[in-house]
Each structure stands twice: as C-alpha cells, then as structure tokens.
Amino acid sequence: MPDTAPHGLDGLAFGGDYNPEQWPEEVWQEDVRLMREAGVNLVSLGIFSWALLEPEPGRYDFDWLDRIIGLLHEHGIRIDLATPTVAPPAWFYRAHPDALPVSREGVRYAFGSRGAICHSSPAYRAAAAAITEQLARRYGGHPALALWHVHNEYGVPVSACYCDHCAVHFRRWLSTAYGTADAVNEAWGTAFWGQRYGSFDEIEPPRATPTVCNPAQRLDYARFADATMRENFVRERDLLHQHSPGIPVTTNFMTALSQCDSVDYWAWGREVDLVTNDHYLITDGRRTHVNLAMAADLTRSVAGGAPWLLLEHSTSGVNWQPRNPAKAPGQMARNSLAHVARGSDGAMFFQWRQSRRGAEKFHSSMLPHAGTDSRVWREVVGLGAALGGLEAVRGTRTAADAALVWDWQSWWAQRLEWRPSEDHDARERADTFYEALYDRHLTVDFTHPEAELSRYPLVVVPALYLAGEATGRNLRTYVENGGTLVVSYFSGIVDQHDAVHPGAHPGVLRDVLGLTVEEFSPLGEGERVRITAADGAELTGDVWSEFVVPRGAETVWTYADGLTAGRPAVTRHRLGRGTAWYVSTRLDAGALDTVLDAAAEDAGLAPRTGLPRDVEVVRRTGESGDYLFAVNHTGTDAKVPLPAHGTELLTGERTAGRLGLPAGAVRVVKLDD
C-alpha cells in the first residue's frame, strides 16, 4: 500500500508550484538557492507540461525534466510530480477536435485556456493514460519523488460536457446504474410531460431545452459528469500505483463551497491516498478567515479526520476576482498556520516564481516580481522558519466539538430550476451556520448525512433538501441515543431521484423533528418576518417561512406577523435521550446564535468564555502530544486561557494559565503531559 503522507518528508511541507519551463535554465540555479534560503522542502512540478514532454504524438522529451529534478534533488528538495493531463497539447486537439467539451447550449469550447476536456473522449483517455505511464516508468523510483499529483483541480473550469461522446457514455452509465430503460423512467418520473423513453438509445444528455428540463435527469447527469472525471483519475492513479509502488497519489481538491460546486468530494476523498486542497480567499465582503476555517475543516472531514495538505494558496493577492487586494502584513503566515491548525501538514503556494507572461502574471507568488528585497519574500522566509519549528505537529489530528451535515448531491439538486424561492441558497445557509458555530469558538467536522454521528454532542443540518430513508434513520438514531440536532428549513424534502417523499414535508425528517409542514411560504424580496419567544424576545427572519404543525414538538419561537403569524417558527422535540430543533425561517448568524445557545445547552456544550470574536483556538493531538493553536485575526492584543502549562513553539516561551496573543499573531503551545 502507498503511504498517505509525502514520501521522505520529515517535517511540515513548505513550497509551491514550480514552473521552470517558463524560465531559461540559468534561472534554475538561483531558484534552488533561494528555495533553500526560504526553507522550501517540496515543490509541485510538471502540471502544465504536456506539450513539452510530448511535443509530437508518441515522441517524448524528458531531458529538461531530468535536469530540473536532478537539480532539486541535489539541493534536498522533494518533488510532487504531476501528470500534465489538465492541459493537452495543441497537436492533440488538432487531431481530435471532438475532445474539446461542448456546453449545454451546443457551443464547442476552443483550445487556448486550461481544463478544456471532454472526459468521455476515448482519444483523451488513451492519450492521458499514455503520458501518465511514461512518467510513471521513468520517475516512479526516483529518490526525490515524494508524491504523485494527478491532473489539476478537477471540475474547474469545466466538469460536464454534452457532446455525442458523452451521450454514448451516459447511456452506458445509466445502463449500469438502472439496468433497464423502464427503471430510468421510474426514477426520472418521465410520465410527467410525456418524457417516457422506450430504450437507452433514445436518451440524450440534458442539453438546452425550451423550458425546464427534467430535474431528475439533470441531477443524474451531474452525478455522471463527476463519476466520469473520477474514472479518469482512478485510471491514472492505478497506473502510478503499478509503476511507482509506495508513493502516494493525490489530486488537488477545491473543497471551499465558494470555489468548486460540481465535485462530490465525499466520493473523491475515498480514492486519493492523501487529501490535498487549494484554497483562495474570496474578497466578497465576508470575513475571509471564516471561509478559510470552513474550507480547512471541510477538507479535513473529506480526509476522514486524517492530516491533509494545503497544496495551493496565495502569498498575497490573486488575479481572477473583480478586485484583488494584497494581503496585509502578517496575513500570509496567519492564513497558512490557520490551515495547519485545522489539520494540514504544511503550507504550499501557487506559485514559486511569479510569471511574466500568461493569464496569471498578476497572481502573487513566493518569489514576486519585486524579488528578494520585498515584504512578501521576507514573510515567505519567516513562514518557512516557523513551519520548520513545528515539525512535531506533523501527523497529529485536529479535535472537533460539533458536526455540520453537508452533501454535495443535495446541493446540486436544490439548485435546479423551479424551486419555491430563488433566494434560498444552500451554500449561504452552510456559511451562516458555520459562522455561528465559529463565533461560538467551536471546531467543526463536516459529515455525510449517513455517517456515524455518536461522537458529536451537537449536529447541525443547514441545508439538506435531498435526503434518503437511510439519512432519516441515521438522524433519528443519533437523537434517540442522546444527541442534539438542529435542522434548517427545506430539508428532507426529496429522495435521491428528486422525488418528493410521500406525505407531508419534511419527508424523512418528520419523525425526528416531531412535526409536519403543511405549506411553504417563501417571503418576497426584502420582506422580513418577526418571531417571538415566550419571554418577549424577538428575532427577525427573511427569505422563508412555513406553516408548521407540531406532532410532538414544542413551540419555542412563534411567527409574530406575516401569513404564518401565530404558527411555530422554531421548535424543539424531545426524542429518546436527545432533542431535535427545527428552524423554519432564515436567521442571520447573530440571530441563529440565540437558537444555537439553547441547543448547545441541551448538548452540554458550555460556552467558551474569555475568547474575543475572531480569535481562534484549535487543538491538534497525537502521539507526540497536544498542541493548542491560537490565531488572532484582530488588530488588538488578546489573552487566551490555557487548560494546562506548556511551551510556545514559535518563541520558546513557557506558558501558564493565560497566553498572550499579539494582534494578528499566531501562537502554538505544546501542552505539558
């Protein structure tokens, strides 16, 4: 079996994407010298190099790659070697123009970008396997090789293609999944609008239609597109395992809900040897460090709680948003160490040397255009030293306090057309619930709806439109056995085929919540609704309200106005040894905290006192000890209470009782045994 950590790497990984092919060879010597100065121990290599490695069909040129790998190895820098299958060469597309993907509207994309791939194309599959095998045979036993890196950011920018190759492949996929066309008709509800199919040959991809396309067909096509990309990954992975035994194989995920929405990472996490992730701050006015923490927690959860690796982030500004601000002094290290706190065994960047040409020449790098006499470079060197001092953290696991249920396939289904309100957004609810938990200083695991939950005192379900019978049983068992569950509106509505569960809403969640929903009552744009408690406290919701009927649940908050005035808005259901809460309107993070405060009391989660807002405290634990990470995202010095005496690893200071945490700083305390 391959390792699950970069081979031959003793400490935390530090480095980034290295693209030496963009530079004359005389620059390479300077690069490796500066890498050693910065403390770099791992670089990703060859991601976009297919055209150089195979300049003509079947003719390979590895001389330049031999030289740069040899140079890096000579200087003690290990390699994350990519298969360059995200960017086929121009000659390939000239020979196989049908390998370019086609949009739903029938537009065939052109060569000249990246990721322009029909993953069902037989020619692409064969060519990708061939270049992968060549690389595996040549470098599979190289002493510098630490990790194999398949492709790059699957699903970005294209996941689904709608060409004729995909039509044939989709029919095969449906035949395997359903067996008969009649079974497809039943699953898709094709009796509606006269869409029945007499054979698989009649089924096409869900291309653009005059009005709304069959939603169950659209959902299955999203699953098919994801599974097709994963088939190609597995084919390359297996070739690498065959020719390079013992070396882990990964591909870089983009788990943040703000960055990739077409990949079911629960399924992908089971296929890689090491989960890796790319994360970039989205400057949309939100608290970017909360999005960072959420992405890191989600990545760790996809890894099953095991250590993972941040394979890309930025030293400063990116280049692809409408406005791309620089990171503030100290923010790069703070961001990097926040990922480490939440389970990453290192911090890698895109990229090492800033490009002079191409689409990403204004994307920041470890070695910027300004060179070594720059703030960014000095901070890079400082971060390398800090990570070098945290070697003992490697391999430990992050401890979580609560869980958030998330399912990418439910998200896909909810986003299809003709839902009760376009204002209800599953990602927004996940962001808001996570933010409310973050502000309570709780570390969060994400979990699949059917995963085992008993270790969590509190589980929240921010948006689970699609939920099968197994999910309903799982959540009920969790509550009956003493868990505390909080569920948001429009959850439990449909099964895996987007068919509404028989009976009243919320379908498979009726029993655990102890209620039914007679009717949804979405609110108009800008409309608000007040909800009140028995003690007169008042909160405000928007976007959504419902006609809730308690069937064993008690009413805790009541609608004070609107069509649902006098009806339950927030309920609590005692079931077995636990409780299940239901929130039937959209509350912001502050209002939601009021509900979570009561739920946390049920769960026995005492409030975290003495921690200011935007100061994180996260624990990693393992055989080498317990490590407390304190991260101050504010401009004010803070004091952090400590559960035991310890040693602060970045300064060497002994700590007792309370830890001084300067503004914008990170401290890592190894707690005494």
Side-chain angles (χ1 to χ4, degrees):
M1 291 293 292
D3 292 336
T4 58
H7 185 68
L9 204 63
D10 296 326
L12 298 179
F14 181 55
D17 286 22
Y18 183 35
N19 299 286
E21 63 271 31
Q22 296 180 14
W23 303 92
E25 286 201 35
E26 55 264 28
V27 176
W28 299 0
Q29 293 286 345
E30 180 187 23
D31 281 335
V32 294
R33 178 180 62 81
L34 292 174
M35 286 178 188
R36 297 310 299 151
E37 181 180 327
V40 167
N41 57 14
L42 180 67
V43 295
S44 301
L45 201 63
I47 295 171
F48 298 103
S49 301
W50 194 343
L52 293 177
L53 296 171
E54 190 179 5
E56 297 175 5
R59 181 173 73 83
Y60 299 97
D61 178 5
F62 296 111
D63 288 348
W64 71 273
L65 190 55
D66 288 346
R67 293 195 300 276
I68 190 60
I69 290 178
L71 181 63
L72 290 163
H73 179 50
E74 180 185 339
H75 287 78
I77 299 166
R78 302 195 66 77
I79 309 300
D80 166 35
L81 185 58
T83 66
T85 51
V86 70
W91 61 255
F92 172 81
Y93 286 123
R94 185 176 183 186
H96 305 285
D98 55 332
L100 287 162
V102 175
S103 71
R104 278 195 78 206
E105 295 72 28
V107 175
R108 189 176 293 280
Y109 295 112
F111 174 76
S113 178
R114 66 165 187 164
I117 296 165
C118 168
H119 283 273
S120 293
S121 163
Y124 170 75
R125 290 180 166 219
I131 186 69
T132 297
E133 186 161 20
Q134 289 288 331
L135 286 163
R137 287 181 180 275
R138 191 172 189 91
Y139 301 107
H142 198 288
L145 184 63
L147 184 66
W148 283 106
H149 180 312
V150 171
H151 204 268
N152 184 70
E153 297 179 344
Y154 279 98
V156 179
V158 178
S159 57
C161 170
Y162 296 82
C163 74
D164 290 341
H165 288 308
C166 291
V168 173
H169 193 184
F170 185 44
R171 294 176 196 125
R172 290 200 305 267
W173 185 85
L174 290 171
S175 178
T176 300
Y178 291 102
T180 66
D182 283 344
V184 174
N185 287 320
E186 175 64 23
W188 290 0
T190 57
F192 187 80
W193 281 0
Q195 296 171 356
R196 184 182 182 278
Y197 297 103
S199 70
F200 284 111
D201 290 341
E202 296 174 359
I203 300 175
E204 299 287 343
R207 298 173 176 128
T209 51
T211 186
V212 174
C213 185
N214 186 312
Q217 182 184 9
R218 291 281 306 279
L219 179 57
D220 262 351
Y221 203 76
R223 291 171 173 142
F224 158 75
D226 179 57
T228 301
M229 292 189 293
R230 199 159 57 251
E231 284 176 16
N232 287 348
F233 167 78
V234 167
R235 181 176 291 104
E236 294 187 41
R237 179 204 66 193
D238 289 351
L239 284 167
L240 297 170
H241 281 168
Q242 177 185 345
H243 296 291
S244 188
I247 302 299
V249 179
T250 191
T251 184
N252 44 336
F253 295 166
M254 297 192 77
T255 62
L257 306 185
S258 54
Q259 292 174 216
C260 185
D261 58 5
S262 60
V263 175
D264 181 355
Y265 286 116
W266 293 126
W268 283 78
R270 295 190 291 269
E271 301 295 348
V272 297
D273 300 322
L274 169 67
V275 167
T276 63
N277 193 53
D278 298 351
H279 181 264
Y280 294 98
L281 301 181
I282 304 300
T283 53
D284 60 359
R286 307 185 194 205
R287 296 154 71 200
T288 56
H289 56 277
V290 179
N291 176 274
L292 184 157
M294 182 177 178
D297 283 346
L298 185 48
T299 307
R300 182 187 67 253
S301 302
V302 167
W308 55 280
L309 179 58
L310 176 66
L311 205 56
E312 287 185 28
H313 71 316
S314 66
T315 57
S316 193
V318 298
N319 70 307
W320 37 264
Q321 298 182 88
R323 285 158 291 279
N324 298 289
K327 289 186 176 179
Q331 186 179 0
M332 178 188 64
R334 188 166 64 252
N335 289 168
S336 300
L337 293 172
H339 282 289
V340 173
R342 295 177 186 273
S344 177
D345 270 357
M348 305 279 285
F349 293 91
F350 179 85
Q351 59 182 323
W352 163 252
R353 182 183 283 269
Q354 196 165 13
S355 299
R356 291 185 55 231
R357 298 176 175 86
E360 296 187 288
K361 56 184 171 287
F362 297 118
H363 190 295
S364 62
S365 69
M366 300 177 77
L367 181 59
H369 292 309
T372 57
D373 188 16
S374 64
R375 174 180 69 89
V376 166
W377 173 254
R378 288 186 287 272
E379 292 193 16
V380 164
V381 174
L383 176 60
L387 291 171
L390 297 178
E391 179 181 337
V393 172
R394 183 175 183 265
T396 59
R397 294 189 173 216
T398 300
D401 305 298
L404 188 152
V405 173
W406 178 256
D407 182 36
W408 277 274
Q409 294 192 24
S410 176
W411 190 20
W412 299 343
Q414 184 181 313
R415 292 186 309 175
L416 294 171
E417 300 94 337
W418 289 11
R419 300 319 189 206
S421 174
E422 65 179 15
D423 297 326
H424 175 40
D425 176 6
R427 178 202 156 188
E428 181 278 329
R429 282 293 80 192
D431 284 347
T432 301
F433 267 78
Y434 183 89
E435 184 177 5
L437 293 168
Y438 178 95
D439 283 341
R440 297 184 69 80
H441 302 285
L442 299 176
T443 303
V444 177
D445 276 349
F446 286 74
T447 180
H448 186 274
E450 296 176 15
E452 209 280 328
L453 300 171
S454 62
R455 65 186 180 277
Y456 302 109
L458 176 67
V459 172
V460 301
V461 181
L464 195 62
Y465 163 75
L466 184 155
E469 296 288 345
T471 294
R473 290 193 298 271
N474 191 42
L475 295 179
R476 180 183 177 110
T477 298
Y478 166 72
V479 174
E480 287 177 332
N481 289 337
T484 300
L485 180 71
V486 181
V487 177
S488 187
Y489 61 88
F490 205 48
S491 293
I493 307 303
V494 300
D495 66 12
Q496 69 270 28
H497 302 301
D498 198 47
V500 173
H501 287 292
H505 304 313
V508 296
L509 303 184
R510 286 191 299 258
D511 291 345
V512 68
L513 295 175
L515 55 83
T516 58
V517 175
E518 289 184 350
E519 191 176 2
F520 307 129
S521 185
L523 303 179
E525 185 176 2
E527 188 178 356
R528 302 285 187 271
V529 62
R530 293 182 298 114
I531 66 173
T532 57
D535 62 2
E538 183 174 298
L539 300 173
T540 301
D542 64 1
V543 170
W544 196 271
S545 64
E546 292 178 341
F547 291 89
V548 174
V549 179
R551 309 282 184 181
E554 60 180 293
T555 300
V556 182
W557 294 75
T558 303
Y559 286 107
D561 52 20
L563 290 179
T564 54
R567 297 275 191 146
V570 177
T571 62
R572 178 177 181 265
H573 184 217
R574 295 180 177 86
L575 182 66
R577 293 186 284 113
T579 57
W581 291 75
Y582 184 61
V583 183
S584 68
T585 186
R586 190 177 82 163
L587 303 176
D588 65 19
L592 191 58
D593 182 65
T594 302
V595 177
L596 290 177
D597 192 54
E601 185 175 349
D602 281 351
L605 278 175
R608 297 274 172 88
T609 58
L611 287 178
R613 190 172 191 252
D614 293 326
V615 171
E616 299 180 24
V617 176
V618 182
R619 184 193 292 250
R620 287 187 65 160
T621 185
E623 291 184 3
S624 64
D626 285 357
Y627 303 87
L628 204 69
F629 284 74
V631 186
N632 189 348
H633 296 286
T634 78
T636 304
D637 294 351
K639 294 286 187 182
V640 174
L642 296 176
H645 293 195
T647 301
E648 204 289 303
L649 298 182
L650 299 178
T651 64
E653 296 177 3
R654 288 290 296 168
T655 60
R658 297 178 73 82
L659 171 70
L661 185 60
V666 179
R667 294 290 182 263
V668 183
V669 178
K670 184 182 188 302
L671 300 174
D672 291 346
D673 296 334

